[in-house]
Amino acid sequence: MSLWSYVPHTETAEGTLAGARWAAVGAAIGRLHRRLATHPAAAPTLKPGAAVCDVATARDRFERLIHSYQHRPRLGEFETWALQAARERQTILGDVERTLASLPHLTVQVLHGDVAGPNVLFKNDEVAAIVDFRPPTPGYLAWEIARLGCDPKSALDNSAESWLTGYTDLTLAYRDANPKASAGDLLSSLRVGCAAMLCSAFPLSVPVERPGIVDAALEAYGRVRHKAALMLLDRLPVMEEDLRDALR
């Protein structure tokens, strides 16, 4: 029996974060991280925030992806778009590198490993379940907050101001549920989430690496994720300042 059957009458957080759900999911992830901080696999530690993404590796991967697309005899509509998006990413990786360089040391601890919209189940405005845990491996706490809070569809389905209000509600509820979390982790989560999305070649790379799984849903997700990441990069200074004021 799937967990979705075991927890009936629910819907995922993908594209549905709005209203009271922001605070509900912030509190749930805060409680989860508070408990996982005691996991025997690894104690929380501080590591350079700039290491959350390897920009040099991302640059090489985009170069290989662009080369692969350019040498195909024919490109479909999504492949043509993916090539254009990969080129756009390649040109802004310098901005991403500068964004990462300004990060402080951030908390690394055992995490869920895949806190994305499809793995958080809501029943009305309450979190009914968090599913699909990965093996207990340390990672950047700020990235896992952003992974859910920067859900691309939720970000684009609202105005930037409305989305930032929701993200602020998430971080405030997270802090209440996990009071040992540093303000630096919470404030840096926007910057970490933006950089991680822009360094990731998924799903632009799927038509090259795993063409058999390309479908309309993946194509739509690719377009939305790319647009949301660019929006976040463009508005990052203003959003961070507003979030800093709220967290004081």
Side-chain angles (χ1 to χ4, degrees):
M1 178 184 290
S2 74
L3 283 167
W4 285 264
S5 299
Y6 186 73
V7 188
H9 312 300
T10 60
E11 64 177 346
T12 73
E14 187 173 24
T16 68
L17 289 177
R21 289 188 172 190
W22 286 105
V25 80
I29 299 303
R31 289 192 297 270
L32 176 64
H33 284 172
R34 188 183 68 213
R35 294 296 299 274
L36 289 176
T38 67
H39 197 289
T45 186
L46 292 176
K47 292 189 177 181
V52 72
C53 297
D54 187 336
V55 178
T57 297
R59 186 175 283 112
D60 289 344
R61 189 171 187 200
F62 279 120
E63 285 179 0
R64 292 195 303 271
L65 184 60
I66 291 167
H67 181 270
S68 178
Y69 276 130
Q70 287 176 330
H71 286 78
R72 288 192 164 196
R74 185 171 59 254
L75 297 178
E77 180 182 353
F78 181 71
E79 293 168 323
T80 300
W81 174 84
L83 171 58
Q84 179 183 347
R87 286 171 171 161
E88 192 169 8
R89 297 278 189 90
Q90 186 75 304
T91 62
I92 61 177
L93 283 178
D95 295 332
V96 174
E97 201 161 26
R98 286 185 287 274
T99 294
L100 289 169
S102 64
L103 285 170
H105 278 62
L106 299 173
T107 303
V108 171
Q109 67 164 69
V110 172
L111 302 174
H112 171 284
D114 193 16
V115 172
N119 293 331
V120 177
L121 307 183
F122 275 104
K123 184 174 288 187
N124 299 320
D125 286 337
E126 297 296 323
V127 175
I130 300 173
V131 303
D132 201 18
F133 280 71
R134 298 295 173 87
T137 304
Y140 282 90
L141 184 149
W143 165 228
E144 191 144 277
I145 295 170
R147 179 81 189 279
L148 185 59
C150 295
D151 170 58
K153 195 169 187 305
S154 295
L156 293 181
D157 281 352
N158 299 280
S159 68
E161 292 74 17
S162 176
W163 171 76
L164 182 59
T165 297
Y167 194 91
T168 301
D169 289 344
L170 182 155
T171 56
L172 291 173
Y174 180 99
R175 184 176 65 179
D176 289 342
N178 187 18
K180 289 186 178 180
S182 74
D185 287 316
L186 294 171
L187 180 60
S188 298
S189 62
L190 282 174
R191 192 168 292 256
V192 167
C194 175
M197 283 196 288
L198 289 170
C199 283
S200 171
F202 180 85
L204 308 182
S205 60
V206 173
V208 171
E209 297 173 354
R210 300 181 65 192
I213 69 168
V214 176
D215 58 16
L218 184 135
E219 292 180 4
Y221 173 74
R223 295 175 189 273
V224 167
R225 190 175 197 234
H226 181 66
K227 186 176 180 180
L230 294 179
M231 179 274 289
L232 186 54
L233 179 65
D234 181 59
R235 299 181 62 88
L236 195 57
V238 173
M239 289 181 167
E240 282 187 329
E241 190 59 36
D242 288 346
L243 185 58
R244 181 180 289 107
D245 288 343
L247 289 171
R248 282 176 180 156

